[in-house]
Amino acid sequence: MTKACSCYNALRWLNKKRREATRGLVVSYSMRDGHAKRSLPAKLHSVLLVSTSRGIGDSLYVMGLAKVLRERGVLVYAAVLPEHGALYERSNLFESVMKLGADACPNLPFSAVVDLEYVNVNHWRLRRDFLKGSNGCRITTSPICRKLPFYDDYVDYSRTAHISERLALVAQTLLRDSSIRRILPHVVTDDASELEALAFLEKLPEGKPILYFNTRAGDDDRWLGGIQTASMLAHITARYDVTTVLLAPDNDPRYFRFPGVVRLESMSFPGFCSFLRRVRFVVTPDTSVTHVAAAFDIPCMTVFPPNDRDYFKEYGAWEAWGALSSVSTTLHPDAPDLAVDRFGFANRLPKPAVSIPSHMLIGALDGLAERSGVLPSKKTDETGTDS
């Protein structure tokens, strides 16, 4: 790295620290609290988990944490964004699920209140208004909030990469049990979601395993493109004897001209989870599908944009959110010389997932198919054609 580049990154780092300090002052002013410091009690009775993440995948891991706490005899409460309230309630893991911005924090003697928002000061007004009414030892996961007198303890997510390991740090702190290494995602299905999934499954050809191919994600740079999708479908339908259920990147009808390719019907998230539970193999960009597959331990190929970094820049996004199925592939074709300097800046900009060559996707798919052994190959006669 040149001296000029190093000086430029040093200035960027100073500006970043300035912004963080400004955010910290704003939050500190709005979250002034004269309460005496509280310590975590030796015996946990109840825990309030506060999550302001918009990602469904994050919610699955928070529910996984709640499941571990409940198994240890701890009563668990949750305060979440309104759009995720029904998902948390459906899990039956919580004594109560409160909607941030609508419900007040109950005046209950919580053993601990864990603020799980660690990215900058996201949704801090919602968190402020709710957390001010909380009792119990207040724990933050935010590097910006760690020094605020409002909080009593800090769990440092930068110590480890994957979200499952980060929430394990929370569990270790609460339960005083260092043997907890991962928190696995928790997925809820019930009779209604099963019926919804079965209504779709009955329309699929019988007797063939299902490959679910998802091309969409929450952010545009994680989507797979039309050329990649068509190339993958051509390869899958030529080589494997499967039914491919596809969530396509656009409305082009060409995808469904390949034999055995079926459009995914619109269904609720629990209904989709019930459907995915019956799938043999998953291909997806970085999105919640990866974590649903992990919950059911389905072989999963997850694709990340090249050079994409985590909030903690020492980790790649793939290290923080990669596939956890016991047989899985996390594809992240980063630049060979990708490096992060001492100021936390990478020498290569992220590229969109659509930039990944189709042959690389196909190679990763075939490699996982071979390792998992769950996709039957099409039989060929002596001339090499399909029989």
Side-chain angles (χ1 to χ4, degrees), residues 196-207:
E196 190 177 1
L198 288 172
F200 173 61
L201 289 163
E202 287 174 355
K203 302 174 184 178
L204 304 183
E206 294 183 7

PDB file of all heavy atoms in Angstrom, residues 196-207:
ATOM      1  N   GLU A 196     -50.238 -25.249   4.147  1.00  0.00           N
ATOM      2  CA  GLU A 196     -49.880 -24.310   3.086  1.00  0.00           C
ATOM      3  C   GLU A 196     -48.800 -24.904   2.186  1.00  0.00           C
ATOM      4  O   GLU A 196     -48.874 -24.817   0.954  1.00  0.00           O
ATOM      5  CB  GLU A 196     -49.396 -23.002   3.715  1.00  0.00           C
ATOM      6  CG  GLU A 196     -49.223 -21.868   2.726  1.00  0.00           C
ATOM      7  CD  GLU A 196     -48.805 -20.576   3.405  1.00  0.00           C
ATOM      8  OE1 GLU A 196     -48.631 -20.570   4.649  1.00  0.00           O
ATOM      9  OE2 GLU A 196     -48.649 -19.568   2.690  1.00  0.00           O
ATOM     10  N   ALA A 197     -47.804 -25.532   2.806  1.00  0.00           N
ATOM     11  CA  ALA A 197     -46.722 -26.132   2.026  1.00  0.00           C
ATOM     12  C   ALA A 197     -47.219 -27.332   1.227  1.00  0.00           C
ATOM     13  O   ALA A 197     -46.865 -27.512   0.049  1.00  0.00           O
ATOM     14  CB  ALA A 197     -45.580 -26.546   2.951  1.00  0.00           C
ATOM     15  N   LEU A 198     -48.038 -28.167   1.841  1.00  0.00           N
ATOM     16  CA  LEU A 198     -48.529 -29.364   1.160  1.00  0.00           C
ATOM     17  C   LEU A 198     -49.382 -29.015  -0.054  1.00  0.00           C
ATOM     18  O   LEU A 198     -49.351 -29.721  -1.069  1.00  0.00           O
ATOM     19  CB  LEU A 198     -49.337 -30.230   2.138  1.00  0.00           C
ATOM     20  CG  LEU A 198     -48.505 -30.965   3.198  1.00  0.00           C
ATOM     21  CD1 LEU A 198     -49.415 -31.631   4.223  1.00  0.00           C
ATOM     22  CD2 LEU A 198     -47.594 -32.000   2.541  1.00  0.00           C
ATOM     23  N   ALA A 199     -50.132 -27.914   0.031  1.00  0.00           N
ATOM     24  CA  ALA A 199     -50.951 -27.493  -1.109  1.00  0.00           C
ATOM     25  C   ALA A 199     -50.078 -27.196  -2.322  1.00  0.00           C
ATOM     26  O   ALA A 199     -50.468 -27.464  -3.468  1.00  0.00           O
ATOM     27  CB  ALA A 199     -51.778 -26.267  -0.728  1.00  0.00           C
ATOM     28  N   PHE A 200     -48.886 -26.654  -2.097  1.00  0.00           N
ATOM     29  CA  PHE A 200     -47.958 -26.403  -3.195  1.00  0.00           C
ATOM     30  C   PHE A 200     -47.247 -27.683  -3.626  1.00  0.00           C
ATOM     31  O   PHE A 200     -47.108 -27.962  -4.817  1.00  0.00           O
ATOM     32  CB  PHE A 200     -46.940 -25.342  -2.775  1.00  0.00           C
ATOM     33  CG  PHE A 200     -45.832 -25.126  -3.771  1.00  0.00           C
ATOM     34  CD1 PHE A 200     -46.118 -24.692  -5.064  1.00  0.00           C
ATOM     35  CD2 PHE A 200     -44.514 -25.360  -3.427  1.00  0.00           C
ATOM     36  CE1 PHE A 200     -45.103 -24.495  -5.998  1.00  0.00           C
ATOM     37  CE2 PHE A 200     -43.491 -25.155  -4.340  1.00  0.00           C
ATOM     38  CZ  PHE A 200     -43.787 -24.727  -5.628  1.00  0.00           C
ATOM     39  N   LEU A 201     -46.814 -28.483  -2.667  1.00  0.00           N
ATOM     40  CA  LEU A 201     -46.065 -29.704  -2.980  1.00  0.00           C
ATOM     41  C   LEU A 201     -46.887 -30.697  -3.801  1.00  0.00           C
ATOM     42  O   LEU A 201     -46.343 -31.438  -4.622  1.00  0.00           O
ATOM     43  CB  LEU A 201     -45.589 -30.359  -1.688  1.00  0.00           C
ATOM     44  CG  LEU A 201     -44.475 -29.603  -0.946  1.00  0.00           C
ATOM     45  CD1 LEU A 201     -44.368 -30.087   0.499  1.00  0.00           C
ATOM     46  CD2 LEU A 201     -43.153 -29.774  -1.668  1.00  0.00           C
ATOM     47  N   GLU A 202     -48.200 -30.687  -3.589  1.00  0.00           N
ATOM     48  CA  GLU A 202     -49.065 -31.604  -4.350  1.00  0.00           C
ATOM     49  C   GLU A 202     -49.071 -31.292  -5.840  1.00  0.00           C
ATOM     50  O   GLU A 202     -49.433 -32.143  -6.664  1.00  0.00           O
ATOM     51  CB  GLU A 202     -50.491 -31.545  -3.790  1.00  0.00           C
ATOM     52  CG  GLU A 202     -50.644 -32.227  -2.443  1.00  0.00           C
ATOM     53  CD  GLU A 202     -52.024 -32.040  -1.849  1.00  0.00           C
ATOM     54  OE1 GLU A 202     -52.826 -31.282  -2.468  1.00  0.00           O
ATOM     55  OE2 GLU A 202     -52.313 -32.615  -0.785  1.00  0.00           O
ATOM     56  N   LYS A 203     -48.656 -30.087  -6.210  1.00  0.00           N
ATOM     57  CA  LYS A 203     -48.626 -29.703  -7.625  1.00  0.00           C
ATOM     58  C   LYS A 203     -47.322 -30.100  -8.312  1.00  0.00           C
ATOM     59  O   LYS A 203     -47.190 -29.945  -9.528  1.00  0.00           O
ATOM     60  CB  LYS A 203     -48.824 -28.184  -7.742  1.00  0.00           C
ATOM     61  CG  LYS A 203     -50.124 -27.677  -7.127  1.00  0.00           C
ATOM     62  CD  LYS A 203     -50.183 -26.160  -7.148  1.00  0.00           C
ATOM     63  CE  LYS A 203     -51.441 -25.649  -6.437  1.00  0.00           C
ATOM     64  NZ  LYS A 203     -51.494 -24.171  -6.411  1.00  0.00           N
ATOM     65  N   LEU A 204     -46.347 -30.569  -7.543  1.00  0.00           N
ATOM     66  CA  LEU A 204     -45.048 -30.912  -8.095  1.00  0.00           C
ATOM     67  C   LEU A 204     -45.022 -32.363  -8.556  1.00  0.00           C
ATOM     68  O   LEU A 204     -45.788 -33.203  -8.060  1.00  0.00           O
ATOM     69  CB  LEU A 204     -43.948 -30.678  -7.054  1.00  0.00           C
ATOM     70  CG  LEU A 204     -43.857 -29.268  -6.468  1.00  0.00           C
ATOM     71  CD1 LEU A 204     -42.681 -29.179  -5.504  1.00  0.00           C
ATOM     72  CD2 LEU A 204     -43.728 -28.217  -7.560  1.00  0.00           C
ATOM     73  N   PRO A 205     -44.158 -32.706  -9.512  1.00  0.00           N
ATOM     74  CA  PRO A 205     -44.042 -34.102  -9.955  1.00  0.00           C
ATOM     75  C   PRO A 205     -43.687 -35.014  -8.782  1.00  0.00           C
ATOM     76  O   PRO A 205     -42.889 -34.656  -7.919  1.00  0.00           O
ATOM     77  CB  PRO A 205     -42.904 -34.059 -10.982  1.00  0.00           C
ATOM     78  CG  PRO A 205     -42.852 -32.638 -11.441  1.00  0.00           C
ATOM     79  CD  PRO A 205     -43.262 -31.805 -10.262  1.00  0.00           C
ATOM     80  N   GLU A 206     -44.275 -36.188  -8.758  1.00  0.00           N
ATOM     81  CA  GLU A 206     -44.012 -37.135  -7.674  1.00  0.00           C
ATOM     82  C   GLU A 206     -42.727 -37.911  -7.933  1.00  0.00           C
ATOM     83  O   GLU A 206     -42.332 -38.138  -9.071  1.00  0.00           O
ATOM     84  CB  GLU A 206     -45.187 -38.113  -7.534  1.00  0.00           C
ATOM     85  CG  GLU A 206     -46.485 -37.464  -7.082  1.00  0.00           C
ATOM     86  CD  GLU A 206     -47.593 -38.489  -6.889  1.00  0.00           C
ATOM     87  OE1 GLU A 206     -47.287 -39.698  -6.973  1.00  0.00           O
ATOM     88  OE2 GLU A 206     -48.743 -38.081  -6.655  1.00  0.00           O
ATOM     89  N   GLY A 207     -42.105 -38.315  -6.844  1.00  0.00           N
ATOM     90  CA  GLY A 207     -40.988 -39.240  -6.943  1.00  0.00           C
ATOM     91  C   GLY A 207     -39.633 -38.625  -7.189  1.00  0.00           C
ATOM     92  O   GLY A 207     -38.627 -39.340  -7.184  1.00  0.00           O
TER      93      GLY A 207
END
